């Protein structure tokens, strides 16, 4: 009895949480897509500075990580492929798993660590120091002022970062291909391009947009629901990272199965 | 209470205002009026509900019942668009200043103007320098809030609250966390604003010296109820035990504290929450 009520409680809490995220996302979508046509200019300047922070500054670390992931993928698939004497298929394996799955996912995880946590910490600190209240008393909507530029930046930057991550991953695979599988750089890249269909890249990018929305919604929601006190900011930041990773993987599962069943026939 | 004669126009009026957080009621039916141009000080101890009252007046908390009349609108039942219009006509100075840490002092003061007016940048520049000058911070527009002292932060926050030329100015604990000299400076600033603009000013504080200096009238809030309301002289000569206790700084009797303590202990161990 105790157990069922606990399970019920968690389910209700979970649904309420998703409801909170959806309502925040809805309001941000209103300020991004509807309000500009009602005389409220879009906050492009803030969005661009956020995009710098979220996107451009993430490039060095993202490049390094995805290059290594590409290399790891090549090593792992070659381990199996060379038993079949099909080591030249390494290029296909790396290209497809990067663009369809690991490019978007690794990008999302790097962005959660860098930006999702930063969103929660920034907004949480503002909440604790009454800056959010100050915005409201100045008739400035916190979602409009703080959340919308972040959404805009993430929706644009995550697909861009994902494309970059895909290329760096393929480059990482190429290093193995050239060193161990008698490829030249040009031939490896040609083989990767031949292996890819447009839909592999597009499904990855669709997922990355969804990841961007999820990460921003969770980071900002956690920030806005920060309680009183500095330790609450830490709690929000941790929760933002943990919940974002969980939800990104959940969204990934949903979309991957959607794409799988859509292309079945 | 509502005998408004011709000269004293009522600015804010509270009618049986109740506010709750969850199941817990913080304010149990508050009634009073604020007239145009007066400085009203809301006094009360920690946990008396005075901060909640202020937050409700600026629309940060929703009343659970009762009415708040401000500019002919009842804040308890207005739309958010109407609330925004009212908020453009009021200014609020928060306890810690609540300046935006990522913006300079000048950008902080200019923010409401940039958001709500279509003024040229040069005009906004003039207004913000004027406002900073009024609070004694001329020349500080390019400083970051983190570079300012506590008293300067508070002054900058007042400049931001003044940016839109508000009709009503709210202060949350203006002298909290300041040394006596700086706190006296903030009191002086409030007096100057009152003299220069004939603004309606509402101050929440527990600093008695400051309260008696700046107030035209005072309200004492205790455990979510109005205990007394009156002019400075009326409060000083009041014989109400709770008012006397507050003004003469007499500690709670030991017995009452122990009973409260006991009640607190039993409440926590009660099953269910």
């Amino acid at each position: 009895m105790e157990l069922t009520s606990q399970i019920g409680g968690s389910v209700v809490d979970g649904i309420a949480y998703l409801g909170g995220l959806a309502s925040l996302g809805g309001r941000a979508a209103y300020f991004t897509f509807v309000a500009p046509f009602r005389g409220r200019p879009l906050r492009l300047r803030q969005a661009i500075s956020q995009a710098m922070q979220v996107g451009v500054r993430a490039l060095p670390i993202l490049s390094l990580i995805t290059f290594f992931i590409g290399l790891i993928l090549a090593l792992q698939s070659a381990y199996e492929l060379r038993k079949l004497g099909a080591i030249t298929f390494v290029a296909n394996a790396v290209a497809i798993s990067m663009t369809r799955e690991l490019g978007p996912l690794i990008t999302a995880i790097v962005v959660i660590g860098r930006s999702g946590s930063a969103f929660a910490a920034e907004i949480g600190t503002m909440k604790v120091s009454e800056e959010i209240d100050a915005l409201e008393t100045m008739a400035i909507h916190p979602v409009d002022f703080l959340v919308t530029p972040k959404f805009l930046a993430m929706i644009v930057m995550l697909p861009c970062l994902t494309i970059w991550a895909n290329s760096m991953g393929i480059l990482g695979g190429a290093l193995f291909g050239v060193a161990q599988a008698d490829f030249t750089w040009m031939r490896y890249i040609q083989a990767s391009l031949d292996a890819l269909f447009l839909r592999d890249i597009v499904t990855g990018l669709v997922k990355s947009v969804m990841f961007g929305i999820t990460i921003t919604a969770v980071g900002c929601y956690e920030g806005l629901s920060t309680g009183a006190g500095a330790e609450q900011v830490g709690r929000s930041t941790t929760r933002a990272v943990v919940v974002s990773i969980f939800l990104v993987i959940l969204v990934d599962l949903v979309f991957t199965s959607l794409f799988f069943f859509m292309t079945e026939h | 209470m509502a005998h408004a004669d011709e000269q004293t126009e009522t600015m804010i009026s509270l009618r049986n205002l109740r506010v709750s957080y969850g199941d817990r009621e913080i304010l149990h039916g508050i009634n009073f009026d604020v007239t145009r141009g007066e400085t009203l000080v809301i006094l009360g101890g920690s946990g008396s509900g005075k901060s909640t009252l202020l937050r409700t007046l600026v629309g940060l908390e929703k009343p659970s019942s009762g009415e708040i009349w401000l500019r002919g609108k009842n804040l308890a039942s207005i739309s958010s668009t109407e609330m925004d219009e009212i908020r453009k006509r009021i200014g609020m100075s928060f306890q810690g200043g609540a300046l935006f840490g990522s913006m300079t002092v000048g950008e902080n003061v200019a923010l409401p103007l940039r958001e709500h007016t279509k003024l040229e940048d040069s005009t906004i520049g003039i207004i913000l320098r004027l406002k900073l000058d009024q609070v004694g911070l001329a020349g500080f527009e390019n400083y970051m809030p983190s570079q300012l002292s506590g008293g300067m932060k508070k002054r900058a926050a007042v400049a931001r609250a003044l940016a839109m030329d508000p009709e009503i100015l709210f202060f949350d604990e203006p002298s909290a966390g300041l040394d006596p000299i700086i706190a006296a400076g903030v009191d002086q600033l409030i007096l100057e604003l009152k003299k220069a603009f004939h603004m309606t000013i509402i101050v929440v504080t527990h600093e008695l010296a400051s309260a008696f200096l700046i107030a035209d009238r005072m309200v004492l809030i205790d455990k979510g109820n109005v205990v007394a309301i009156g002019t400075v002289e009326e409060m000083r000569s009041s014989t109400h035990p709770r008012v006397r206790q507050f003004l003469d700084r007499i500690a709670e009797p030991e017995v009452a504290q122990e009973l409260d303590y006991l009640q607190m202990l039993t409440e926590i161990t009660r099953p269910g929450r």
Side-chain angles (χ1 to χ4, degrees):
Chain A
M1 206 56 205
E2 186 81 343
L3 184 70
T4 44
S5 83
Q6 261 180 18
I7 292 171
S10 329
V11 169
V12 168
D13 287 349
I15 291 170
Y17 190 90
L18 289 181
L21 288 185
S23 125
L24 180 67
R27 276 182 290 160
Y30 168 81
F31 285 114
T32 316
F33 301 113
V34 183
F37 298 105
R38 296 192 178 170
R40 244 187 230 256
L42 207 53
R43 299 177 186 280
L44 273 182
R45 216 165 55 99
Q46 281 112 311
I48 289 169
S49 93
Q50 286 289 339
M52 262 315 265
Q53 191 58 43
V54 168
V56 179
R57 304 246 157 82
L59 278 180
I61 184 69
L62 182 69
S63 309
L64 201 62
I65 291 178
T66 45
F67 184 85
F68 289 159
I69 293 279
L71 192 52
I72 293 169
L73 270 180
L75 288 163
Q76 293 284 29
S77 38
Y79 173 75
E80 201 62 17
L81 285 171
R82 76 178 161 199
K83 289 187 204 158
L84 306 168
I87 200 159
T88 48
F89 281 100
V90 159
N92 302 40
V94 172
I96 287 174
S97 33
M98 264 332 271
T99 51
R100 287 188 69 98
E101 184 56 51
L102 282 169
L105 189 64
I106 298 291
T107 307
I109 286 171
V110 169
V111 169
I112 289 169
R114 290 187 77 257
S115 305
S117 58
F119 291 171
E122 179 197 333
I123 296 178
T125 309
M126 290 183 74
K127 181 85 190 273
V128 169
S129 60
E130 293 187 304
E131 288 169 48
I132 302 285
D133 290 341
L135 278 177
E136 282 192 42
T137 57
M138 287 190 272
I140 301 170
H141 205 296
V143 173
D144 175 26
F145 188 74
L146 292 169
V147 180
T148 309
K150 293 180 169 55
F151 261 107
L152 214 55
M154 291 284 263
I155 290 172
V156 174
M157 287 322 276
L158 261 215
C160 297
L161 286 175
T162 301
I163 291 174
W164 182 258
N166 292 342
S167 341
M168 291 309 288
I170 289 174
L171 221 57
L175 180 65
F176 173 84
V178 171
Q180 289 289 316
D182 301 328
F183 274 107
T184 63
W185 290 95
M186 280 316 293
R187 271 187 45 227
Y188 184 92
I189 288 168
Q190 195 53 50
S192 301
L193 291 179
D194 290 345
L196 287 176
F197 290 100
L198 187 61
R199 70 159 179 270
D200 296 325
I201 298 170
V202 170
T203 53
L205 294 185
V206 169
K207 283 203 280 190
S208 77
V209 172
M210 292 301 147
F211 294 165
I213 294 171
T214 310
I215 297 166
T216 323
V218 174
C220 295
Y221 182 79
E222 285 296 337
L224 286 172
S225 51
T226 303
E231 80 278 6
Q232 292 293 320
V233 177
R235 197 204 61 98
S236 297
T237 312
T238 312
R239 272 182 59 96
V241 172
V242 174
V243 174
S244 291
I245 291 181
F246 172 70
L247 283 182
V248 156
I249 287 178
L250 196 67
V251 168
D252 193 359
L253 175 63
V254 169
F255 275 82
T256 307
S257 19
L258 210 62
F259 294 139
F260 177 79
F261 291 114
M262 264 165 50
T263 54
E264 200 175 19
H265 310 294
Chain B
M1 206 185 290
H3 291 315
D5 61 46
E6 277 71 24
Q7 281 151 3
T8 56
E9 184 191 342
T10 304
M11 208 58 190
I12 304 176
S13 93
L14 306 185
R15 291 288 167 268
N16 200 24
L17 175 72
R18 289 169 183 274
V19 180
S20 313
Y21 291 139
D23 302 337
R24 209 155 58 95
E25 191 172 82
I26 309 290
L27 298 175
H28 318 290
I30 305 278
N31 287 291
F32 65 78
D33 289 344
V34 185
T35 48
R36 181 183 284 277
E38 80 167 334
T39 301
L40 180 82
V41 171
I42 302 173
L43 279 173
S46 314
S48 59
K50 61 183 194 303
S51 295
T52 306
L53 177 57
L54 188 71
R55 289 176 62 82
T56 314
L57 288 178
V58 297
L60 289 171
E61 306 292 343
K62 274 273 171 207
S64 44
S65 73
E67 296 159 7
I68 308 169
W69 291 93
L70 205 160
R71 288 172 64 86
K73 300 261 168 62
N74 180 9
L75 298 197
S77 62
I78 70 179
S79 72
S80 58
T81 335
E82 284 176 311
M83 189 69 224
D84 280 351
E85 286 311 310
I86 286 181
R87 279 169 169 165
K88 289 175 194 168
R89 310 300 307 147
I90 64 175
M92 166 95 174
S93 156
F94 285 87
Q95 192 172 341
L99 296 168
F100 303 115
S102 56
M103 301 180 188
T104 65
V105 171
E107 285 167 346
N108 265 286
V109 178
L111 182 68
L113 297 165
R114 293 229 165 90
E115 289 290 320
H116 299 311
T117 68
K118 293 196 173 5
L119 295 173
E120 299 274 327
D121 270 2
S122 56
T123 320
I124 290 180
I126 294 168
I127 298 176
L128 86 87
R129 278 190 286 279
L130 204 71
K131 299 296 173 190
L132 284 175
D133 190 43
Q134 272 167 14
V135 300
L137 281 181
F140 281 91
E141 61 258 40
N142 292 325
Y143 280 62
M144 296 306 281
S146 56
Q147 294 170 297
L148 300 184
S149 71
M152 288 158 96
K153 270 185 200 149
K154 222 151 253 191
R155 285 170 180 273
V158 176
R160 187 177 67 185
L162 288 172
M164 296 282 286
D165 292 318
E167 291 171 16
I168 313 172
L169 200 52
F170 294 90
F171 284 90
D172 189 11
E173 305 270 1
S175 36
L178 301 180
D179 73 54
I181 297 170
I182 304 288
V186 174
D187 288 346
Q188 208 57 48
L189 174 65
I190 296 174
L191 283 173
E192 278 163 20
L193 291 175
K194 174 173 157 183
K195 212 162 69 184
F197 303 104
H198 202 62
M199 216 177 264
T200 310
I201 300 176
I202 296 178
V203 183
V204 159
T205 187
H206 56 249
E207 295 282 331
L208 290 174
S210 145
F212 278 106
L213 185 67
I214 58 181
D216 294 322
R217 283 199 306 151
M218 293 176 167
V219 184
L220 179 66
I221 307 271
D222 185 47
K223 299 198 176 102
N225 290 300
V226 172
V227 176
I229 179 163
T231 62
V232 173
E233 289 72 33
E234 283 167 356
M235 287 301 248
R236 236 192 273 270
S237 55
S238 169
T239 52
H240 191 291
R242 202 66 190 164
V243 178
R244 289 270 45 102
Q245 190 193 2
F246 197 83
L247 297 191
D248 302 339
R249 301 162 154 247
I250 300 167
E252 289 281 353
E254 279 296 309
V255 182
Q257 273 183 14
E258 272 163 19
L259 278 175
D260 280 349
Y261 184 63
L262 218 61
Q263 194 185 359
M264 189 191 80
L265 286 180
T266 48
E267 266 173 18
I268 286 171
T269 49
R270 204 187 299 153
R273 187 164 307 181

